[in-house]
Amino acid sequence: MGARFEELAWRETPIGAISLRRRRDPALDVDVYEVKLDDEFLMSSLFPVAEIELARLGLAPLDGDGLDVAVGGLGLGYTARTALEDPRVRSVVVVEAIEDVIDWHRRQLLPFAAGLAVDPRTRFVRADFFATVAAGGGLDPTTPDRRFHAVLLDVDHSPRNVLHPSHAAFYTAAGLRRVADLLHPRGVFALWSDDPPDEDFGRVLAEVFPTSQAHVVRFPNPLTGGESANTVYVARR
């Protein structure tokens, strides 16, 4: 057995110091991978269920094959990896603001995401998802007018609890219309949130998308022995 704790990567970024660490949990007898921004925990490999369900719920309403998917926020890779497991998916463009996070995957530091970086359907775009959408230039710099069948977003804690103040404008009707413009007709925008369903945000979604739903994703919490929950919003153009 290796060291009980190891910091695998660390870098100062415009939004704070981001780090990837691995620790051995003796009670659970597993290696736990965690991402921190300064002193705040962003994600943990102990709780991947909702990130996985973001891809599953986001792709479920779609018909046909040859699906093109955009993922906003790479993180530990669960959402992008799950999208690639759907045989209908033709391509996955992952938009990630921090080059180091992309590098974690290229260096194969995350064993549960193995294969993501080398899958020929995957392409990483180093960019700020929110700034890119606001600028109206599209999510694929090689094809600015490209449209997607699904855009799956997991960056902020929730529409109300954002990592940077500049992200807040995205969660307005004007911001959501810009992401809707990136979708094919009947395409899906799906969003992960750490908060319970937000009725106010649901009304904003309804201003832009003909149909939308908030799914509560429940999962066992091995730290408390109880149950935790996240929300996945699924809206269809």
Side-chain angles (χ1 to χ4, degrees):
M1 184 173 64
R4 288 278 298 273
F5 175 87
E6 183 180 5
E7 188 169 74
L8 301 174
W10 181 96
R11 176 80 63 164
E12 191 70 50
T13 77
I15 61 173
I18 193 164
S19 62
L20 171 68
R21 69 182 198 172
R22 179 180 61 211
R23 63 177 177 86
R24 187 72 184 177
D25 189 311
L28 299 173
D29 194 28
V30 295
D31 284 333
V32 181
Y33 291 79
E34 297 167 326
V35 179
K36 293 181 68 179
L37 183 66
D38 292 329
D39 293 326
E40 184 176 12
F41 284 94
L42 293 185
M43 58 196 71
S44 168
S45 61
L46 281 177
F47 311 106
V49 175
E51 286 85 350
I52 291 169
E53 287 303 305
L54 173 61
R56 290 178 176 167
L57 291 168
L59 298 180
L62 297 171
D63 301 317
D65 298 318
L67 301 180
D68 297 318
V69 179
V71 176
L74 175 54
L76 294 176
Y78 286 107
T79 299
R81 189 80 198 107
T82 303
L84 289 170
E85 291 171 359
D86 189 318
R88 301 173 298 157
V89 170
R90 173 172 58 190
S91 69
V92 174
V93 172
V94 184
V95 182
E96 170 56 51
I98 301 173
E99 180 65 35
D100 293 73
V101 176
I102 296 172
D103 186 57
W104 300 344
H105 289 270
R106 288 178 173 154
R107 292 165 56 197
Q108 302 288 321
L109 294 180
L110 302 161
F112 45 81
L116 173 59
V118 298
D119 192 303
R121 294 172 294 167
T122 304
R123 188 153 58 83
F124 297 130
V125 174
R126 195 281 193 203
D128 182 321
F129 176 90
F130 300 97
T132 300
V133 171
L139 296 175
D140 184 348
T142 66
T143 312
D145 60 349
R146 185 179 182 185
R147 298 293 177 264
F148 295 89
H149 298 93
V151 174
L152 315 175
L153 179 59
D154 178 7
V155 175
D156 292 316
H157 295 302
S158 74
R160 292 181 181 269
N161 187 4
V162 297
L163 294 180
H164 191 274
S166 64
H167 298 180
F170 175 83
Y171 300 101
T172 65
L176 294 175
R177 286 190 185 98
R178 292 188 182 96
V179 80
D181 288 342
L182 300 174
L183 296 170
H184 288 296
R186 302 290 291 160
V188 169
F189 168 64
L191 171 71
W192 176 91
S193 172
D194 193 35
D195 289 347
D198 185 322
E199 292 184 4
D200 289 340
F201 180 65
R203 283 190 284 269
V204 177
L205 280 173
E207 287 184 45
V208 178
F209 295 94
T211 62
S212 60
Q213 185 176 358
H215 300 265
V216 177
V217 179
R218 304 186 186 279
F219 51 90
N221 186 324
L223 299 181
T224 66
E227 186 180 70
S228 294
N230 295 154
T231 302
V232 173
Y233 297 93
V234 178
R236 196 164 192 188
R237 185 178 178 187

PDB file of all heavy atoms in Angstrom, residues 137-162:
ATOM      1  N   GLY A 137     -19.147  32.737 -29.744  1.00  0.00           N
ATOM      2  CA  GLY A 137     -18.265  32.161 -30.763  1.00  0.00           C
ATOM      3  C   GLY A 137     -18.359  30.670 -30.920  1.00  0.00           C
ATOM      4  O   GLY A 137     -17.643  30.086 -31.733  1.00  0.00           O
ATOM      5  N   GLY A 138     -19.218  30.001 -30.156  1.00  0.00           N
ATOM      6  CA  GLY A 138     -19.320  28.555 -30.233  1.00  0.00           C
ATOM      7  C   GLY A 138     -18.312  27.883 -29.324  1.00  0.00           C
ATOM      8  O   GLY A 138     -17.370  28.502 -28.833  1.00  0.00           O
ATOM      9  N   LEU A 139     -18.500  26.596 -29.094  1.00  0.00           N
ATOM     10  CA  LEU A 139     -17.646  25.842 -28.180  1.00  0.00           C
ATOM     11  C   LEU A 139     -16.531  25.084 -28.885  1.00  0.00           C
ATOM     12  O   LEU A 139     -15.652  24.545 -28.217  1.00  0.00           O
ATOM     13  CB  LEU A 139     -18.500  24.855 -27.374  1.00  0.00           C
ATOM     14  CG  LEU A 139     -19.538  25.492 -26.442  1.00  0.00           C
ATOM     15  CD1 LEU A 139     -20.403  24.416 -25.793  1.00  0.00           C
ATOM     16  CD2 LEU A 139     -18.869  26.355 -25.385  1.00  0.00           C
ATOM     17  N   ASP A 140     -16.569  25.042 -30.196  1.00  0.00           N
ATOM     18  CA  ASP A 140     -15.532  24.363 -30.974  1.00  0.00           C
ATOM     19  C   ASP A 140     -14.786  25.409 -31.782  1.00  0.00           C
ATOM     20  O   ASP A 140     -15.295  25.909 -32.788  1.00  0.00           O
ATOM     21  CB  ASP A 140     -16.159  23.322 -31.892  1.00  0.00           C
ATOM     22  CG  ASP A 140     -15.122  22.508 -32.655  1.00  0.00           C
ATOM     23  OD1 ASP A 140     -13.933  22.890 -32.646  1.00  0.00           O
ATOM     24  OD2 ASP A 140     -15.507  21.489 -33.254  1.00  0.00           O
ATOM     25  N   PRO A 141     -13.568  25.784 -31.362  1.00  0.00           N
ATOM     26  CA  PRO A 141     -12.861  26.860 -32.066  1.00  0.00           C
ATOM     27  C   PRO A 141     -12.540  26.535 -33.519  1.00  0.00           C
ATOM     28  O   PRO A 141     -12.326  27.445 -34.320  1.00  0.00           O
ATOM     29  CB  PRO A 141     -11.580  27.049 -31.236  1.00  0.00           C
ATOM     30  CG  PRO A 141     -11.419  25.783 -30.469  1.00  0.00           C
ATOM     31  CD  PRO A 141     -12.800  25.268 -30.217  1.00  0.00           C
ATOM     32  N   THR A 142     -12.508  25.254 -33.880  1.00  0.00           N
ATOM     33  CA  THR A 142     -12.239  24.901 -35.273  1.00  0.00           C
ATOM     34  C   THR A 142     -13.469  25.053 -36.154  1.00  0.00           C
ATOM     35  O   THR A 142     -13.351  25.172 -37.371  1.00  0.00           O
ATOM     36  CB  THR A 142     -11.727  23.453 -35.373  1.00  0.00           C
ATOM     37  OG1 THR A 142     -12.770  22.548 -34.982  1.00  0.00           O
ATOM     38  CG2 THR A 142     -10.511  23.247 -34.485  1.00  0.00           C
ATOM     39  N   THR A 143     -14.656  25.054 -35.533  1.00  0.00           N
ATOM     40  CA  THR A 143     -15.918  25.188 -36.275  1.00  0.00           C
ATOM     41  C   THR A 143     -16.840  26.087 -35.464  1.00  0.00           C
ATOM     42  O   THR A 143     -17.698  25.606 -34.702  1.00  0.00           O
ATOM     43  CB  THR A 143     -16.582  23.814 -36.506  1.00  0.00           C
ATOM     44  OG1 THR A 143     -15.616  22.890 -37.004  1.00  0.00           O
ATOM     45  CG2 THR A 143     -17.734  23.920 -37.503  1.00  0.00           C
ATOM     46  N   PRO A 144     -16.697  27.402 -35.565  1.00  0.00           N
ATOM     47  CA  PRO A 144     -17.424  28.332 -34.684  1.00  0.00           C
ATOM     48  C   PRO A 144     -18.939  28.185 -34.721  1.00  0.00           C
ATOM     49  O   PRO A 144     -19.601  28.466 -33.719  1.00  0.00           O
ATOM     50  CB  PRO A 144     -16.977  29.708 -35.188  1.00  0.00           C
ATOM     51  CG  PRO A 144     -15.641  29.464 -35.816  1.00  0.00           C
ATOM     52  CD  PRO A 144     -15.742  28.096 -36.442  1.00  0.00           C
ATOM     53  N   ASP A 145     -19.501  27.764 -35.855  1.00  0.00           N
ATOM     54  CA  ASP A 145     -20.955  27.657 -35.950  1.00  0.00           C
ATOM     55  C   ASP A 145     -21.457  26.245 -35.646  1.00  0.00           C
ATOM     56  O   ASP A 145     -22.611  25.917 -35.922  1.00  0.00           O
ATOM     57  CB  ASP A 145     -21.434  28.096 -37.330  1.00  0.00           C
ATOM     58  CG  ASP A 145     -20.843  27.242 -38.464  1.00  0.00           C
ATOM     59  OD1 ASP A 145     -19.905  26.456 -38.196  1.00  0.00           O
ATOM     60  OD2 ASP A 145     -21.323  27.377 -39.610  1.00  0.00           O
ATOM     61  N   ARG A 146     -20.607  25.414 -35.066  1.00  0.00           N
ATOM     62  CA  ARG A 146     -20.994  24.032 -34.796  1.00  0.00           C
ATOM     63  C   ARG A 146     -22.101  23.958 -33.764  1.00  0.00           C
ATOM     64  O   ARG A 146     -22.112  24.703 -32.783  1.00  0.00           O
ATOM     65  CB  ARG A 146     -19.776  23.251 -34.290  1.00  0.00           C
ATOM     66  CG  ARG A 146     -20.058  21.767 -34.091  1.00  0.00           C
ATOM     67  CD  ARG A 146     -18.821  21.027 -33.609  1.00  0.00           C
ATOM     68  NE  ARG A 146     -19.089  19.614 -33.469  1.00  0.00           N
ATOM     69  CZ  ARG A 146     -18.232  18.725 -32.971  1.00  0.00           C
ATOM     70  NH1 ARG A 146     -17.024  19.131 -32.577  1.00  0.00           N
ATOM     71  NH2 ARG A 146     -18.550  17.460 -32.860  1.00  0.00           N
ATOM     72  N   ARG A 147     -23.033  23.040 -33.982  1.00  0.00           N
ATOM     73  CA  ARG A 147     -24.117  22.793 -33.045  1.00  0.00           C
ATOM     74  C   ARG A 147     -23.945  21.404 -32.424  1.00  0.00           C
ATOM     75  O   ARG A 147     -23.332  20.517 -33.020  1.00  0.00           O
ATOM     76  CB  ARG A 147     -25.476  22.902 -33.740  1.00  0.00           C
ATOM     77  CG  ARG A 147     -25.752  24.291 -34.306  1.00  0.00           C
ATOM     78  CD  ARG A 147     -25.903  25.316 -33.198  1.00  0.00           C
ATOM     79  NE  ARG A 147     -26.108  26.662 -33.710  1.00  0.00           N
ATOM     80  CZ  ARG A 147     -25.158  27.558 -33.862  1.00  0.00           C
ATOM     81  NH1 ARG A 147     -23.907  27.257 -33.557  1.00  0.00           N
ATOM     82  NH2 ARG A 147     -25.428  28.772 -34.311  1.00  0.00           N
ATOM     83  N   PHE A 148     -24.514  21.234 -31.231  1.00  0.00           N
ATOM     84  CA  PHE A 148     -24.392  19.974 -30.501  1.00  0.00           C
ATOM     85  C   PHE A 148     -25.770  19.408 -30.200  1.00  0.00           C
ATOM     86  O   PHE A 148     -26.751  20.137 -30.099  1.00  0.00           O
ATOM     87  CB  PHE A 148     -23.627  20.191 -29.195  1.00  0.00           C
ATOM     88  CG  PHE A 148     -22.198  20.613 -29.402  1.00  0.00           C
ATOM     89  CD1 PHE A 148     -21.864  21.956 -29.510  1.00  0.00           C
ATOM     90  CD2 PHE A 148     -21.196  19.667 -29.509  1.00  0.00           C
ATOM     91  CE1 PHE A 148     -20.552  22.356 -29.714  1.00  0.00           C
ATOM     92  CE2 PHE A 148     -19.872  20.054 -29.713  1.00  0.00           C
ATOM     93  CZ  PHE A 148     -19.551  21.399 -29.816  1.00  0.00           C
ATOM     94  N   HIS A 149     -25.808  18.109 -30.012  1.00  0.00           N
ATOM     95  CA  HIS A 149     -27.056  17.470 -29.605  1.00  0.00           C
ATOM     96  C   HIS A 149     -27.274  17.598 -28.106  1.00  0.00           C
ATOM     97  O   HIS A 149     -28.416  17.547 -27.632  1.00  0.00           O
ATOM     98  CB  HIS A 149     -27.051  15.992 -30.010  1.00  0.00           C
ATOM     99  CG  HIS A 149     -26.959  15.789 -31.493  1.00  0.00           C
ATOM    100  ND1 HIS A 149     -25.763  15.618 -32.153  1.00  0.00           N
ATOM    101  CD2 HIS A 149     -27.933  15.773 -32.433  1.00  0.00           C
ATOM    102  CE1 HIS A 149     -25.993  15.475 -33.450  1.00  0.00           C
ATOM    103  NE2 HIS A 149     -27.296  15.570 -33.645  1.00  0.00           N
ATOM    104  N   ALA A 150     -26.182  17.752 -27.358  1.00  0.00           N
ATOM    105  CA  ALA A 150     -26.295  17.936 -25.904  1.00  0.00           C
ATOM    106  C   ALA A 150     -25.131  18.779 -25.413  1.00  0.00           C
ATOM    107  O   ALA A 150     -23.994  18.612 -25.866  1.00  0.00           O
ATOM    108  CB  ALA A 150     -26.310  16.595 -25.188  1.00  0.00           C
ATOM    109  N   VAL A 151     -25.427  19.668 -24.482  1.00  0.00           N
ATOM    110  CA  VAL A 151     -24.409  20.412 -23.733  1.00  0.00           C
ATOM    111  C   VAL A 151     -24.612  20.071 -22.264  1.00  0.00           C
ATOM    112  O   VAL A 151     -25.687  20.308 -21.704  1.00  0.00           O
ATOM    113  CB  VAL A 151     -24.521  21.933 -23.951  1.00  0.00           C
ATOM    114  CG1 VAL A 151     -23.542  22.673 -23.037  1.00  0.00           C
ATOM    115  CG2 VAL A 151     -24.247  22.286 -25.410  1.00  0.00           C
ATOM    116  N   LEU A 152     -23.584  19.482 -21.651  1.00  0.00           N
ATOM    117  CA  LEU A 152     -23.636  19.034 -20.263  1.00  0.00           C
ATOM    118  C   LEU A 152     -22.686  19.897 -19.449  1.00  0.00           C
ATOM    119  O   LEU A 152     -21.494  19.963 -19.746  1.00  0.00           O
ATOM    120  CB  LEU A 152     -23.213  17.563 -20.164  1.00  0.00           C
ATOM    121  CG  LEU A 152     -23.817  16.601 -21.194  1.00  0.00           C
ATOM    122  CD1 LEU A 152     -23.210  15.205 -21.044  1.00  0.00           C
ATOM    123  CD2 LEU A 152     -25.340  16.536 -21.046  1.00  0.00           C
ATOM    124  N   LEU A 153     -23.199  20.555 -18.412  1.00  0.00           N
ATOM    125  CA  LEU A 153     -22.400  21.534 -17.672  1.00  0.00           C
ATOM    126  C   LEU A 153     -22.278  21.154 -16.200  1.00  0.00           C
ATOM    127  O   LEU A 153     -23.275  20.954 -15.505  1.00  0.00           O
ATOM    128  CB  LEU A 153     -23.035  22.914 -17.788  1.00  0.00           C
ATOM    129  CG  LEU A 153     -22.338  24.062 -17.050  1.00  0.00           C
ATOM    130  CD1 LEU A 153     -20.902  24.243 -17.527  1.00  0.00           C
ATOM    131  CD2 LEU A 153     -23.132  25.358 -17.205  1.00  0.00           C
ATOM    132  N   ASP A 154     -21.022  21.103 -15.720  1.00  0.00           N
ATOM    133  CA  ASP A 154     -20.738  20.854 -14.311  1.00  0.00           C
ATOM    134  C   ASP A 154     -19.498  21.653 -13.924  1.00  0.00           C
ATOM    135  O   ASP A 154     -18.376  21.151 -14.014  1.00  0.00           O
ATOM    136  CB  ASP A 154     -20.517  19.355 -14.059  1.00  0.00           C
ATOM    137  CG  ASP A 154     -20.157  19.047 -12.612  1.00  0.00           C
ATOM    138  OD1 ASP A 154     -20.218  19.966 -11.782  1.00  0.00           O
ATOM    139  OD2 ASP A 154     -19.803  17.887 -12.326  1.00  0.00           O
ATOM    140  N   VAL A 155     -19.710  22.894 -13.526  1.00  0.00           N
ATOM    141  CA  VAL A 155     -18.605  23.756 -13.103  1.00  0.00           C
ATOM    142  C   VAL A 155     -18.917  24.371 -11.736  1.00  0.00           C
ATOM    143  O   VAL A 155     -18.196  24.149 -10.763  1.00  0.00           O
ATOM    144  CB  VAL A 155     -18.313  24.862 -14.133  1.00  0.00           C
ATOM    145  CG1 VAL A 155     -17.242  25.816 -13.598  1.00  0.00           C
ATOM    146  CG2 VAL A 155     -17.854  24.266 -15.465  1.00  0.00           C
ATOM    147  N   ASP A 156     -19.984  25.147 -11.667  1.00  0.00           N
ATOM    148  CA  ASP A 156     -20.341  25.825 -10.420  1.00  0.00           C
ATOM    149  C   ASP A 156     -21.021  24.864  -9.447  1.00  0.00           C
ATOM    150  O   ASP A 156     -21.522  23.808  -9.835  1.00  0.00           O
ATOM    151  CB  ASP A 156     -21.276  26.999 -10.715  1.00  0.00           C
ATOM    152  CG  ASP A 156     -20.576  28.114 -11.471  1.00  0.00           C
ATOM    153  OD1 ASP A 156     -19.434  28.449 -11.105  1.00  0.00           O
ATOM    154  OD2 ASP A 156     -21.168  28.638 -12.440  1.00  0.00           O
ATOM    155  N   HIS A 157     -21.072  25.275  -8.180  1.00  0.00           N
ATOM    156  CA  HIS A 157     -21.790  24.474  -7.187  1.00  0.00           C
ATOM    157  C   HIS A 157     -23.277  24.441  -7.506  1.00  0.00           C
ATOM    158  O   HIS A 157     -23.934  23.416  -7.316  1.00  0.00           O
ATOM    159  CB  HIS A 157     -21.582  25.045  -5.788  1.00  0.00           C
ATOM    160  CG  HIS A 157     -20.164  24.971  -5.308  1.00  0.00           C
ATOM    161  ND1 HIS A 157     -19.465  23.786  -5.200  1.00  0.00           N
ATOM    162  CD2 HIS A 157     -19.300  25.931  -4.905  1.00  0.00           C
ATOM    163  CE1 HIS A 157     -18.249  24.014  -4.754  1.00  0.00           C
ATOM    164  NE2 HIS A 157     -18.119  25.317  -4.573  1.00  0.00           N
ATOM    165  N   SER A 158     -23.812  25.570  -7.962  1.00  0.00           N
ATOM    166  CA  SER A 158     -25.220  25.664  -8.316  1.00  0.00           C
ATOM    167  C   SER A 158     -25.433  27.002  -9.019  1.00  0.00           C
ATOM    168  O   SER A 158     -24.532  27.852  -9.030  1.00  0.00           O
ATOM    169  CB  SER A 158     -26.113  25.589  -7.067  1.00  0.00           C
ATOM    170  OG  SER A 158     -26.049  26.797  -6.332  1.00  0.00           O
ATOM    171  N   PRO A 159     -26.606  27.225  -9.617  1.00  0.00           N
ATOM    172  CA  PRO A 159     -26.845  28.532 -10.244  1.00  0.00           C
ATOM    173  C   PRO A 159     -26.744  29.702  -9.275  1.00  0.00           C
ATOM    174  O   PRO A 159     -26.450  30.829  -9.689  1.00  0.00           O
ATOM    175  CB  PRO A 159     -28.275  28.390 -10.780  1.00  0.00           C
ATOM    176  CG  PRO A 159     -28.437  26.930 -11.035  1.00  0.00           C
ATOM    177  CD  PRO A 159     -27.690  26.270  -9.917  1.00  0.00           C
ATOM    178  N   ARG A 160     -26.964  29.463  -7.995  1.00  0.00           N
ATOM    179  CA  ARG A 160     -26.870  30.528  -7.000  1.00  0.00           C
ATOM    180  C   ARG A 160     -25.482  30.610  -6.354  1.00  0.00           C
ATOM    181  O   ARG A 160     -25.110  31.656  -5.807  1.00  0.00           O
ATOM    182  CB  ARG A 160     -27.904  30.313  -5.892  1.00  0.00           C
ATOM    183  CG  ARG A 160     -29.334  30.499  -6.342  1.00  0.00           C
ATOM    184  CD  ARG A 160     -30.276  30.284  -5.168  1.00  0.00           C
ATOM    185  NE  ARG A 160     -31.669  30.431  -5.566  1.00  0.00           N
ATOM    186  CZ  ARG A 160     -32.340  31.573  -5.527  1.00  0.00           C
ATOM    187  NH1 ARG A 160     -31.725  32.676  -5.124  1.00  0.00           N
ATOM    188  NH2 ARG A 160     -33.603  31.629  -5.901  1.00  0.00           N
ATOM    189  N   ASN A 161     -24.751  29.529  -6.380  1.00  0.00           N
ATOM    190  CA  ASN A 161     -23.453  29.432  -5.704  1.00  0.00           C
ATOM    191  C   ASN A 161     -22.378  29.179  -6.748  1.00  0.00           C
ATOM    192  O   ASN A 161     -22.014  28.035  -7.025  1.00  0.00           O
ATOM    193  CB  ASN A 161     -23.488  28.317  -4.655  1.00  0.00           C
ATOM    194  CG  ASN A 161     -22.245  28.281  -3.802  1.00  0.00           C
ATOM    195  OD1 ASN A 161     -21.360  29.130  -3.911  1.00  0.00           O
ATOM    196  ND2 ASN A 161     -22.149  27.276  -2.942  1.00  0.00           N
ATOM    197  N   VAL A 162     -21.886  30.276  -7.348  1.00  0.00           N
ATOM    198  CA  VAL A 162     -20.959  30.175  -8.466  1.00  0.00           C
ATOM    199  C   VAL A 162     -19.524  30.311  -7.976  1.00  0.00           C
ATOM    200  O   VAL A 162     -19.251  30.914  -6.939  1.00  0.00           O
ATOM    201  CB  VAL A 162     -21.267  31.234  -9.548  1.00  0.00           C
ATOM    202  CG1 VAL A 162     -22.648  30.995 -10.143  1.00  0.00           C
ATOM    203  CG2 VAL A 162     -21.169  32.644  -8.973  1.00  0.00           C
TER     204      VAL A 162
END
